[in-house]
Amino acid sequence: MERRVYYRGSPGYPNSHQLPQFNPGFRFSHLVQHQLTFVHGQHQFQPQQPNYHHHGLQNFQVRYPYVDNRESIRQNILSQIHSKHSSHSQQSRKRSADSLPNSSNSKKQKNDHPATDVGITDVPIPPPGYNPMHNITESIIRYFVDNHQTDTAYRQKLQLRDVLFKIFQSSMPNCGLYIVGSSMSGFGTLKSDMDMCLMITDDGVDQKREAPEILYLIQKALFRCSFVRESMVIRAKVPILRFNDLISKAQIDLNVNNSVGIRNTHLLKYYCMTDWRVRPLVLYVKKWARFHDINDASKATISSYSLCLMLIHYLQYACSPPVLPSLQDLYPERFNAALDIRELKFDDSVSYKSDNGQSVGELFLGFLCYYSNKFKFDEDCICIREGTKYTLDDYMRCKSDNFQIQPLCIEEPFDLSNTARSCHDKNIFTRVKRVFKKSYQKLQKKKDVTCLFTHPF
């Protein structure tokens, strides 16, 4: 079988033309090993001016159009928090998805700094008579404003990507390097790791045999880079090379040819754009799950990606009216699983306006309620691709061969595997369900999120 390198061109981004052909009997990892013998030794981390290209995801990464979009969402939230009310009347107010209840004591700052430098320390306290759910909303928004990934941190990651790409390009001139995961989708925090995908072929790479060999070779090459520390190859279904960057202090997880990660990053980014409430909710759900130690795939609990899909499913299916649509139904061509990843665009718009007026606090409580009392973990399967859920019996009649039944079943929107395959231990997952139930009971009773963070349940 002939294999092709993935990219062709001086920066490695433009479309492939006249791609070289390889000996069918030649191990692909041998090719990489041959190329990596020429890697340059010392690479310093230097801020670089962005280069402008014209293709797909990396065009987006270099041009930074997403930064502007994220900041517009952030500014929208900040303006809602600090907007003044003309009176404290306790008349019933119409709830709106585009406005949060605010205190008239909120004072506008004298100096308007750029949004990336704003530190909100005076989130207003609601006056008497407000819905008690306002306390939950304010806590979630406060956490989001203080902890979401800033533009400065985002640009640092882009600079690191450019440095690493130069290193990889010196030995693999036709490769492509993508930022994936929460750093790119908009669901990152200041402490988020940086996930990256190195694309080296348009054919699949054997993740069990070839990917670890390639990552070991890359690890060996990076030993000579002054900014790389504590590198190690972690074998998993998708093996990764994990290392720390001495300059930005970020932890990097690098995989090889896991193109589905690029696709689901693309999809989550558009869900992030569809409704401003999604980002604060995702960040707070992950904070809550980490505190209770149920957000770690290595411990047989729920991965961050699966938590995102659980929240999106709730916002699609369990809210009335829905907060989110199925974007794959709404834009089938944009999210076609067969679309070349070099054609993915991150700067399109989403023409959807939800009629749901619930506050962020109400939605968070509803999320806990749904998975505590309504979702049947042993019978249901989440499918955000169609914006619904299926019974396992119905789903398995037309299941993908990749799907593994576990205590939690969530369809991956593109390769149709079970994203929650890490939840394989029934005893551990019993504790996960207990955390959902106790969290809902306490928050429903006290209407104060601090009750969720006194001790793990």
Side-chain angles (χ1 to χ4, degrees), residues 338-354:
L339 186 66
D340 191 320
I341 60 171
R342 290 165 290 186
E343 302 300 323
L344 299 180
K345 297 180 180 179
F346 273 56
D347 53 358
D348 286 338
S349 60
V350 176
S351 299
Y352 179 81
K353 178 70 174 178
S354 174

Side-chain angles (χ1 to χ4, degrees), residues 126-226:
Y130 269 91
N131 188 317
M133 297 302 297
H134 176 77
N135 291 329
I136 304 176
T137 295
E138 290 293 346
S139 296
I140 295 174
I141 297 298
R142 181 196 296 271
Y143 175 78
F144 168 76
V145 170
D146 290 345
N147 293 277
H148 80 286
Q149 178 179 270
T150 62
D151 291 343
T152 300
Y154 178 71
R155 287 192 177 98
Q156 270 195 320
K157 291 180 179 180
L158 287 173
Q159 291 173 359
L160 176 57
R161 187 205 75 97
D162 291 342
V163 171
L164 291 173
F165 177 71
K166 290 296 183 183
I167 298 174
F168 299 149
Q169 188 186 31
S170 65
S171 58
M172 294 175 285
N174 304 306
C175 70
L177 187 60
Y178 294 82
I179 300 176
V180 297
S182 61
S183 296
M184 198 63 170
S185 65
F187 297 137
T189 66
L190 291 172
K191 298 181 180 179
S192 291
D193 298 341
M194 181 178 179
D195 299 322
M196 305 187 76
C197 177
L198 177 65
M199 295 297 299
I200 55 180
T201 173
D202 61 352
D203 298 320
V205 167
D206 186 340
Q207 293 292 329
K208 187 175 182 180
R209 294 171 61 245
E210 288 192 312
E213 292 183 43
I214 295 169
L215 291 173
Y216 279 121
L217 293 169
I218 294 173
Q219 180 189 33
K220 185 176 180 181
L222 292 180
F223 274 142
R224 301 178 64 186
C225 297
S226 61

